[in-house]
Amino acid sequence: MMRNSSKKSSKVQKLKKLPASKPDARLADAEQYLLPTYKRQPVVMTHGKGAYVFDSTGKKYLDFLGGIAVNALGHAHPRIIKVIRREAARAIHLSNLYHNAFQGPLARKLTEWSGMDRVFFANSGTEAIDGAMKLARLLGRHPEAPAGAPAKKHRFLALENSFHGRTFGAISVTATEKYRLPFAPVVPGVEFVRFNDVADLESKFDDSVCAMLSETVQGEGGIYPVSEAFWNRARALATQHGALLIADEIQCGLGRTGRYFAYQKFPTKPDIALIAKPLAAGLPLGSILTTEAVASRVSPGMHGTTFGGGPLACAVALEFLSIIEEEKLLENVRASGAELREGLKKLATKFDFIREIRAEGLMIGIELSVEGGPFVSEAMQRGLLINCTHDFTLRLLPPFIITKAQVREFLKLFEIVLAKTPKQAAAPDSAKSAVPQGAAHAAERG
Ligand SMILES: Cc1ncc(COP(=O)(O)O)c(C=O)c1O
């Protein structure tokens, strides 16, 4: 089936190619009919191949954003295409009222990777977060307590500078006010702990806490890893107070840091780990992984989903996990990540507006003392996709299949971008707020 793939992709490119000068009616439609939830770049992306993406004018971009950590295998991976073709012709959706051929085997594989016991499949990261919050509230109730009686153990602790998604539960534990406050009142009982601040954590933890939630490496917040001291204390306090420790691995999990799960660098495990983004190689699939102790409180009807864990998405996810193992991609994540970091550290000695490089595997933040947005636009013009988070941190999330040559190509292009971008001085207050307190020890000076 793959015989003509290269011929086909050049045909796709030809069909979609529009002269750069001609206005694209699809942009006007988007402008007029979409809810304005994104400040999108004025390009129509049409397709990709490996670590490259192409727009409707035929322009090629080196993709160091990977669909914000989704496209871990890049684009159009032949094994993923093959499984999608095969399974789409068999069954795209089968109800969760029945078993399908892939959900059980995928759950087994994920428990092997994570060290957890049980799995629930959702459709996105935010849904996995909301499901985990429901589990925490469920576990916080005495099993004999009358239904509807508010449980004493109901509070959530989350971290300052966190991002967990866009549904009501997820925004309630997301620290950034612009995502949360316009929709108040949110889920009650949430308190934010200063990042990596053990004393603040200790002062807020008591028997009324049902769960402590944390990204193991904060992504949207600017690539800040939770410290081992903080993790260990959170684990101990959760156990002591009968609360759940929930690791949001939606952006940092499934290989991104060079381990299956970012928490595997610590000596202990969470009670719940959440994954999504790269799990089904671009198809929507999220997952809650948990222990037998948590699972033992769940009964049919308490939670569910129409689409989650469908046969097509699960078949693709199983293939994704096999590819990671068989193509030894974690080794590549570690090696390419180290090479990228070294290259970036060299660039930081040339450009004094680079304040810090923070990196774990292929999850990299480059903190600037000037506004990051103009660098993203300059990079795009020069055929490079990167992103800026919290105004001052350039974020790189390249695919796990990135080659040494592509790392060199990136560094060359990025140096030009750093040199040519007009620098906009940062407002002194906003520059400071980009750095969570207690994070400095985890960062590396460039
Ligand atoms: C750490 C983290 N948690 C949760 C989410 C929400 O995931 P989704 O957009 O799939 O709902 C994201 C998305 O960026 C994320 O980075």
Side-chain angles (χ1 to χ4, degrees):
M1 268 207 263
M2 292 305 302
R3 262 172 294 142
N4 296 323
S5 66
S6 59
K7 256 192 209 162
K8 266 186 195 151
S9 67
S10 63
K11 207 167 165 195
V12 172
Q13 218 176 313
K14 235 187 219 159
L15 279 174
K16 300 274 180 190
K17 221 167 170 172
L18 277 182
S21 54
K22 197 167 175 239
D24 191 325
R26 293 169 295 192
L27 288 178
D29 282 351
E31 189 68 27
Q32 187 171 350
Y33 298 112
L34 291 179
L35 270 190
T37 52
Y38 283 91
K39 213 178 344 174
R40 291 184 168 94
Q41 301 281 348
V43 291
V44 178
M45 296 299 186
T46 53
H47 61 289
K49 185 82 193 149
Y52 297 95
V53 176
F54 300 83
D55 73 16
S56 56
T57 69
K59 182 170 170 177
K60 183 180 177 185
Y61 303 85
L62 179 59
D63 185 3
F64 260 53
L65 185 55
I68 319 185
V70 169
N71 301 105
L73 300 179
H75 302 270
H77 192 290
R79 283 178 61 179
I80 296 296
I81 295 173
K82 195 169 167 193
V83 171
I84 290 177
R85 285 204 172 125
R86 186 189 72 213
E87 294 308 320
R90 288 166 57 82
I92 294 172
H93 174 76
L94 294 166
S95 170
N96 274 320
L97 295 175
Y98 315 102
H99 291 285
N100 70 52
F102 302 104
Q103 225 182 85
L106 176 59
R108 182 167 60 77
K109 188 91 189 156
L110 287 170
T111 63
E112 287 164 9
W113 273 34
S114 63
M116 296 284 149
D117 305 313
R118 295 269 179 173
V119 180
F120 175 82
F121 289 110
N123 307 285
S124 62
T126 198
E127 246 186 279
I129 296 277
D130 273 40
M133 290 176 73
K134 283 174 69 180
L135 289 177
R137 283 278 175 87
L138 179 70
L139 270 280
R141 301 172 72 81
H142 191 278
E144 310 299 328
K152 176 176 171 274
K153 187 184 266 316
H154 70 279
R155 287 171 61 230
F156 292 100
L157 297 182
L159 292 185
E160 288 186 358
N161 200 49
S162 58
F163 180 82
H164 295 291
R166 306 295 194 153
T167 46
F168 252 103
I171 60 166
S172 310
V173 288
T174 289
T176 308
E177 292 186 348
K178 69 177 176 191
Y179 300 137
R180 181 164 41 92
L181 295 189
F183 309 102
V186 293
V187 173
V190 178
E191 204 171 348
F192 294 99
V193 173
R194 281 203 294 277
F195 187 76
N196 277 346
D197 186 331
V198 170
D200 196 40
L201 176 71
E202 286 170 342
S203 75
K204 287 170 180 162
F205 226 123
D206 62 25
D207 282 346
S208 68
V209 173
C210 68
M212 157 82 206
L213 273 107
S214 162
E215 293 158 84
T216 318
V217 181
Q218 289 188 334
E220 196 72 20
I223 318 299
Y224 287 100
V226 158
S227 71
E228 182 158 349
F230 189 85
W231 175 273
N232 288 343
R233 198 67 192 115
R235 176 65 279 173
L237 285 165
T239 305
Q240 180 189 331
H241 292 287
L244 302 181
L245 177 61
I246 301 176
D248 178 344
E249 295 249 344
I250 288 162
Q251 189 167 146
C252 64
L254 293 174
R256 172 67 52 194
T257 65
R259 293 178 174 82
Y260 289 142
F261 288 81
Y263 64 74
Q264 287 165 338
K265 70 182 166 178
F266 300 134
T268 51
K269 286 186 290 194
D271 300 290
I272 294 182
L274 306 170
I275 48 175
K277 288 187 179 273
L279 177 56
L283 293 181
L285 186 65
S287 173
I288 301 172
L289 315 175
T290 191
T291 60
E292 203 59 64
V294 172
S296 68
R297 290 287 303 277
V298 177
S299 55
M302 276 182 168
H303 195 53
T305 163
T306 295
F307 290 115
L312 177 64
C314 286
V316 172
L318 260 177
E319 190 70 358
F320 169 73
L321 300 178
S322 301
I323 293 169
I324 299 275
E325 288 178 343
E326 288 160 24
E327 296 188 5
K328 302 203 182 334
L329 289 181
L330 294 196
E331 283 169 29
N332 193 51
V333 168
R334 291 191 290 268
S336 310
E339 217 171 306
L340 249 177
R341 177 153 62 170
E342 283 316 300
L344 288 168
K345 277 165 73 178
K346 275 192 199 132
L347 290 180
T349 61
K350 284 194 191 171
F351 298 98
D352 62 1
F353 55 86
I354 296 183
R355 282 173 39 160
E356 244 168 18
I357 312 284
R358 295 183 290 272
E360 288 226 356
L362 287 176
M363 195 172 181
I364 296 166
I366 304 155
E367 191 176 316
L368 309 178
S369 57
V370 292
E371 297 273 356
F375 293 84
V376 175
S377 307
E378 183 74 28
M380 235 184 140
Q381 276 185 27
R382 293 176 185 276
L384 178 61
L385 299 184
I386 59 173
N387 146 267
C388 173
T389 182
H390 275 246
D391 300 335
F392 302 99
T393 303
L394 299 179
R395 180 169 44 164
L396 311 179
L397 298 162
F400 302 176
I401 51 147
I402 205 82
T403 62
K404 283 199 158 80
Q406 286 161 344
V407 168
R408 284 195 297 275
E409 182 185 348
F410 166 81
L411 289 168
K412 234 165 119 182
L413 264 172
F414 191 57
E415 180 165 3
I416 300 170
V417 169
L418 291 172
K420 299 285 182 194
T421 304
K423 316 297 179 290
Q424 284 175 20
D429 285 354
S430 49
K432 249 185 254 152
S433 69
V435 185
Q437 292 190 35
H441 75 280
E444 200 173 309
R445 277 290 312 155

